[in-house]
Amino acid sequence: MQNALGAVQSLLVLGGSSDIGAAIADRLVPGGCRIVVLAGRRPEAMEPVAGRLRAAGADVVLTGWDAVDIGGHADAIKAAWDAAAIDIDCVVLASGVLGDQSQLEEDPTAAADLAVANYAGPVSTLLHVARRLEEQGHGTIVVLSSVAGERARRSNFVYGSSKAGLDAFAQGLADRLVAAGVRVVVVRPGFVRSSMTNGREPAPLATTPAAVAEAVAGAIASGKEIVWVPATFRYVMAVFRHLPRPLWRRVSGNI
Ligand SMILES: NC(=O)c1ccc[n+]([C@@H]2O[C@H](COP(=O)([O-])OP(=O)(O)OC[C@H]3O[C@@H](n4cnc5c(N)ncnc54)[C@H](OP(=O)(O)O)[C@@H]3O)[C@@H](O)[C@H]2O)c1
């Protein structure tokens, strides 16, 4: 249960080795989060994050979760709740795959796999999470969407469309859960310097995992439901969303 000051005391990160997910945990632990469950498919990649969080004072448990193993999601979410052994205040969906657009266009199976990892798998997972939070009667789900989902770009529309689907799903889930006292925060970062973008040329308004974490912590505390990082993207995308398609093709080819 979030404490009297609204601080998260228990956290589940789905995609426990994610740079952004880890940064959110790094930000919440000093604020009073005492129990962290890192769920993912590679314990060896989550262990360094766990070590850092333990050094900061949290009890940390690693559990298994694979976004594409839809049949395993019920057990994985049960295992996460069992590992926490208390109600979970906040669940962060931080997993995702960017992929290489030209390779994905050449390999339709790989493109469909990316859609499962970024959209279909999270849909299944978040429905299991939603049921748990409804039973608790409280909690916050944080979903890592992207500005890429706001308007598809020629250069990454496989990834962008998966994020558009996830973003729409998260908004609908928020509407379902609000009556149960459960909130959903949709986070739309631009280019974040992380393992996902390593080796790529930073886009305009590039930011950091720590900045995303700061914005997420602010939203959890304030009740904000949509978070752009940096905040300027709210206005930039409001313009981009309405550009005529021929103009958007020209503009988006340069970002
Ligand atoms: N970086 C950016 O520019 C940016 C911008 C906007 C939105 N986002 C979104 O923010 C989120 C976090 O990204 P990041 O920058 O932190 O990237 P990251 O460090 O590369 O983390 C991605 C995470 O996804 C996990 N993952 C991938 N496939 C998985 C699967 N099938 N099952 C379980 N976990 C899986 C990876 O786990 P493994 O260790 O097992 O590979 C890793 O923990 C993603 O949803 C991403 O789309 C990122």
Side-chain angles (χ1 to χ4, degrees):
M1 181 77 78
Q2 284 178 238
N3 69 17
L5 299 173
V8 164
Q9 301 193 69
S10 50
L11 171 70
L12 165 61
V13 183
L14 294 159
S17 59
S18 140
D19 289 342
I20 294 176
I24 293 170
D26 285 337
R27 172 63 180 75
L28 295 180
V29 165
C33 180
R34 290 286 156 261
I35 296 178
V36 181
V37 181
L38 299 176
R41 54 184 182 170
R42 291 194 306 130
E44 70 280 11
M46 298 192 285
E47 202 49 72
V49 181
R52 211 164 64 216
L53 296 172
R54 287 186 188 116
D59 288 337
V60 185
V61 193
L62 307 189
T63 61
W65 170 73
D66 187 336
V68 304
D69 178 17
I70 289 172
H73 288 169
D75 286 349
I77 295 307
K78 180 179 184 314
W81 249 263
D82 289 349
I86 58 166
D87 285 0
I88 295 180
D89 292 336
C90 181
V91 178
V92 178
L93 179 83
S95 65
V97 184
L98 181 55
D100 178 278
Q101 175 69 27
S102 48
Q103 283 174 15
L104 294 170
E105 288 177 26
E106 291 302 314
D107 184 350
T109 303
D113 287 345
L114 183 144
V116 174
N118 286 357
Y119 174 65
V123 164
S124 158
T125 302
L126 291 178
L127 287 173
H128 287 291
V129 166
R131 195 175 302 155
R132 293 269 169 181
L133 296 181
E134 274 179 323
E135 285 166 9
Q136 290 181 178
H138 70 96
T140 302
I141 301 174
V142 176
V143 177
L144 266 303
S145 176
S146 170
V147 296
E150 187 68 2
R151 188 159 192 187
R153 272 190 287 147
R154 167 70 188 91
S155 59
N156 74 346
F157 66 82
V158 177
Y159 173 79
S161 64
S162 72
K163 288 298 187 182
L166 178 65
D167 195 295
F169 174 81
Q171 291 181 61
L173 191 63
D175 296 341
R176 166 183 148 185
L177 293 175
V178 67
V182 176
R183 293 172 45 219
V184 180
V185 179
V186 177
V187 187
R188 297 176 185 154
F191 186 106
V192 183
R193 291 185 181 87
S194 75
S195 305
M196 180 172 278
T197 55
N198 204 9
R200 296 184 187 228
E201 186 66 29
L205 300 177
T207 188
T208 61
V212 179
E214 195 57 40
V216 167
I220 292 171
S222 69
K224 204 170 178 181
E225 292 184 290
I226 305 278
V227 182
W228 300 88
V229 193
T232 326
F233 263 119
R234 177 180 172 192
Y235 306 103
V236 172
M237 293 311 295
V239 173
F240 282 176
R241 192 188 309 131
H242 297 292
L243 288 182
R245 290 187 60 74
L247 183 55
W248 173 241
R249 282 191 189 113
R250 294 222 317 265
V251 170
S252 65
N254 296 319
I255 53 176

